């Protein structure tokens, strides 16, 4: 038993086809087979959000999705958020506000912030804190991260 | 994770066949937010995941004021609170599905999975009990129905027999001058598991409570329906003393344990406090309904 299966998915705009085992998580396949190492394995049980990706338009923990469940799905990782010539406003704002220290949680926060700003372009501080509750940071703390998301929202409103 | 098999079932019959063949080591996979972690951490011995997310019946999310709500077992939380008609008709259910885990978890986790995982602390189960949810089960012998309050039989245990799966939960339409509220106590605002929780449903007749239902989380081996509270409240005028007495009845019914999240004593106390507040919240919503 434990057969391998071929899956097809669209990752950061590119169609990929690969052979996976059912026990492999989407996170493992992204990192080890597609070499997209932006999504991080923090807790591997859905608490920390370091593996956050956008899965058919929804923010999810890629450690809690099996790669076989991603067959036919569209996935955006942190590597797919910037344009070729320009970082996403959330990425620029995190840099400008120094909203990171060791950086392990940062890709998850960037992806979650993009998901928030796509559905709510002008979130309150309370809305930011609630939306990002599934992303844990163990060094910088949350204040600068919230400021960065507010700045990213302002940048997006101004179209810069 | 150890080697495992996975099949994406397309029909209920295919899922039942796979579950029968797989026996106790086959497990239905819905959102996976509990199951994948349990298998990865060797807390559940599973050889086969039967994915039910591509079966039409388990994806039903249908509401109309005449027939009520049909909530498929594979419908994730975000689809429930993202549906304005459902959110307006069943706000007590929304209280729960919008507080389970994080946004990431709510993007995958299903209410059907919350039921079948059968945690005593499951947030969505008390509101489903007070809204009179009925589980529609399909299996080798065909279909059967079980009220939500009878579905869980112990921690992690349900009434599902060999080859059976939960297809959907059905709720009657909202009554006039009636509504529900669910709340829980957690040390943190987000990303936590209930120390205790209480769901209350009330139907009003002017200044009086015509009928009520209360169910508790995390104070017994299963989510706990407390019919004594409803029996006491029926026909009573809404006063502080009546609400207090209802809380005491909930407290008396609670039979909690002490664990890492709280002591039995704290949980008893919380059962009274949360039930009073849930009743007040439900009454306010019922007055506005």
């Amino acid at each position: 038993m434990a057969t391998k299966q071929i899956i097809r998915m669209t990752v950061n705009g590119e169609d990929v086809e690969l052979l996976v085992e059912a026990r492999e998580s989407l996170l493992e396949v992204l990192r080890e087979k597609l070499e997209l190492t932006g999504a991080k394995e923090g807790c591997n049980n859905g608490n920390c959000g370091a593996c956050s990706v956008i899965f058919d338009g929804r923010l999810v923990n890629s450690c809690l999705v099996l790669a076989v469940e991603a067959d036919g799905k569209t996935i955006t990782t942190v590597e797919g958020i910037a344009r070729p010539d320009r970082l996403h406003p959330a990425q620029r704002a995190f840099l400008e506000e120094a909203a990171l220290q060791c950086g392990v949680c940062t890709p998850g926060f960037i992806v979650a912030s993009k998901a928030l700003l796509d559905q709510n372009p002008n979130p309150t501080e309370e809305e930011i804190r609630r939306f990002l509750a599934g992303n844990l940071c163990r060094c910088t703390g949350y204040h600068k991260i919230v400021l960065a998301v507010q700045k990213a929202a302002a940048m997006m409103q101004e179209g810069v | 994770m150890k080697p495992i098999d996975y099949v994406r079932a397309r029909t209920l019959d295919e899922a039942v066949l796979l579950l029968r063949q797989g026996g106790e080591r086959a497990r239905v996979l819905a959102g996976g937010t509990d199951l994948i972690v349990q298998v990865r951490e060797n807390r559940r011995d599973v050889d086969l995941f039967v994915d039910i997310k591509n079966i039409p019946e388990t994806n039903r999310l249908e509401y109309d004021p005449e027939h009520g709500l049909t909530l498929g077992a594979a419908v994730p939380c975000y689809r429930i609170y993202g549906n304005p008609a459902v959110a307006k008709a069943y706000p007590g259910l929304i209280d729960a599905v919008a507080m389970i885990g994080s946004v990431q978890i709510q993007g995958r986790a299903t209410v059907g999975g919350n039921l079948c995982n059968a945690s005593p602390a499951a947030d969505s189960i008390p509101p489903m009990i007070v809204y009179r949810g009925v589980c529609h089960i399909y299996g080798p012998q065909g279909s059967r129905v079980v009220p939500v309050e009878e579905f869980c039989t112990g921690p992690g245990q349900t009434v599902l027999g060999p080859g059976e799966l939960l297809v959907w939960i059905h709720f009657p339409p909202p009554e006039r001058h009636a509504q529900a509220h669910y709340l829980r106590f957690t040390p943190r605002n987000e990303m936590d598991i209930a120390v205790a929780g209480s769901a209350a449903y009330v139907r009003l007749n002017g200044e009086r409570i015509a009928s009520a239902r209360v169910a508790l989380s995390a104070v017994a081996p299963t989510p706990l329906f407390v019919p004594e509270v409803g029996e006491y409240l029926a026909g009573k005028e809404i006063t502080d003393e009546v609400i207090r007495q209802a809380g005491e009845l909930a407290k008396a019914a609670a039979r909690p344990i002490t664990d890492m999240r709280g002591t039995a004593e704290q949980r008893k106390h919380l059962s009274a406090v949360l039930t009073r507040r849930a009743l007040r919240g439900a009454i306010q919503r019922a007055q506005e309904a």
Side-chain angles (χ1 to χ4, degrees):
Chain A
M1 296 279 276
T3 49
K4 293 187 174 185
Q5 302 189 14
I6 291 173
I7 62 164
R8 292 175 188 82
M9 54 186 178
T10 305
V11 181
N12 298 333
E14 213 172 296
D15 292 334
V16 297
E17 184 178 309
L18 66 175
L19 194 61
V20 300
E21 287 184 59
R23 65 170 162 176
E24 288 181 283
S25 68
L26 176 61
L27 174 64
E28 288 170 311
V29 166
L30 289 172
R31 290 180 57 85
E32 290 161 26
K33 297 210 162 121
L34 298 176
E35 297 183 351
L36 293 168
T37 54
K40 299 288 186 277
E41 183 187 305
C43 64
N44 214 24
N45 64 19
N47 272 289
C48 79
C51 66
S52 296
V53 300
I54 296 172
F55 183 89
D56 265 6
R58 302 303 309 181
L59 184 68
V60 304
N61 293 316
S62 60
C63 76
L64 294 187
V65 179
L66 300 174
V68 285
E69 293 181 282
D71 188 25
K73 305 293 186 185
T74 298
I75 290 117
T76 303
T77 70
V78 71
E79 290 90 343
I81 283 177
R83 293 192 316 215
D85 58 330
R86 200 164 167 77
L87 291 177
H88 186 274
Q91 293 172 310
R92 275 181 279 145
F94 271 65
L95 283 170
E96 288 171 19
E97 291 296 316
L100 68 154
Q101 193 168 321
C102 86
V104 170
C105 70
T106 310
F109 268 106
I110 299 278
V111 172
S113 300
K114 180 199 184 298
L116 167 63
L117 295 170
D118 283 349
Q119 71 176 61
N120 182 355
N122 193 17
T124 64
E125 181 184 340
E126 163 97 11
E127 287 168 341
I128 294 169
R129 288 185 184 274
R130 280 195 182 276
F131 195 94
L132 298 181
N135 293 82
L136 303 185
C137 169
R138 297 289 78 163
C139 44
T140 304
Y142 300 98
H143 183 64
K144 287 181 167 187
I145 291 171
V146 173
L147 290 180
V149 177
Q150 288 172 320
K151 183 163 187 169
M155 289 161 96
M156 288 170 81
Q157 304 250 309
E158 289 160 18
V160 293
Chain B
M1 192 186 289
K2 64 166 198 146
I4 202 159
D5 265 313
Y6 166 93
V7 180
R8 193 178 271 205
R10 301 285 174 179
T11 65
L12 289 175
D13 285 319
E14 185 188 358
V16 167
L17 185 65
L18 289 162
L19 290 170
R20 282 184 70 182
Q21 287 170 349
E24 284 188 357
R25 298 176 72 171
R27 187 86 185 162
V28 167
L29 176 69
T33 55
D34 285 312
L35 182 60
I36 290 172
V37 177
Q38 288 163 0
V39 174
R40 184 177 287 149
E41 296 177 356
N42 295 316
R43 283 188 280 134
R44 216 184 254 283
D45 196 10
V46 175
D47 289 334
L48 171 66
F49 288 133
V50 180
D51 187 345
I52 61 157
K53 289 189 289 297
N54 296 275
I55 299 173
E57 290 88 341
T58 62
N59 280 292
R60 287 179 65 184
L61 178 63
E62 294 161 14
Y63 168 70
D64 75 71
E66 220 176 293
H67 302 102
L69 172 65
T70 301
L71 176 51
V75 175
C77 292
Y78 81 86
R79 277 186 62 199
I80 304 170
Y81 60 69
N83 183 312
V86 173
K88 188 165 187 294
Y90 303 93
L93 181 62
I94 304 303
D95 292 333
V97 294
M99 70 165 61
I100 294 174
S102 58
V103 174
Q104 286 91 330
I105 298 293
Q106 291 155 18
R108 296 293 286 171
T110 69
V111 159
N114 206 214
L115 249 176
C116 293
N117 189 56
S119 163
D123 288 309
S124 74
I125 301 178
M128 288 199 278
I129 292 172
V130 301
Y131 277 124
R132 295 184 172 82
V134 173
C135 303
H136 288 246
I137 296 166
Y138 187 69
Q141 276 83 47
S143 300
R144 66 185 179 114
V145 296
V146 173
V148 172
E149 59 265 37
E150 293 170 19
F151 187 82
C152 300
T153 54
Q157 305 292 317
T158 71
V159 298
L160 290 179
E164 286 191 322
L165 76 154
L166 176 64
V167 182
W168 65 63
I169 307 128
H170 181 265
F171 300 90
E175 300 173 288
R176 280 171 60 83
H177 309 300
Q179 224 4 292
H181 190 64
Y182 173 71
L183 47 89
R184 69 179 184 187
F185 176 78
T186 53
R188 295 185 291 183
N189 286 335
E190 304 285 335
M191 286 295 286
D192 214 338
I193 292 171
V195 178
S198 179
Y201 178 98
V202 295
R203 183 166 61 83
L204 301 177
N205 179 10
E207 294 301 304
R208 288 179 185 277
I209 293 172
S211 65
R213 283 167 74 86
V214 165
L216 307 173
S217 48
V219 297
T222 64
L224 186 66
F225 177 46
V226 190
E228 305 90 283
V229 179
E231 285 156 19
Y232 167 75
L233 286 173
K236 293 276 192 317
E237 207 171 321
I238 302 165
T239 66
D240 288 347
E241 177 52 28
V242 163
I243 300 290
R244 193 194 66 78
Q245 192 55 41
E248 292 307 307
L249 287 169
K251 180 178 174 177
R255 37 181 208 280
I257 58 167
T258 294
D259 67 8
M260 60 189 274
R261 293 201 173 79
T263 63
E265 188 189 5
Q266 183 189 19
R267 287 183 156 120
K268 284 284 240 183
H269 173 73
L270 286 169
S271 299
V273 175
L274 294 171
T275 296
R276 293 200 299 266
R277 292 182 189 172
L279 282 166
R280 288 286 184 195
I283 289 166
Q284 190 176 347
R285 282 179 177 166
Q287 286 165 339
E288 292 161 2

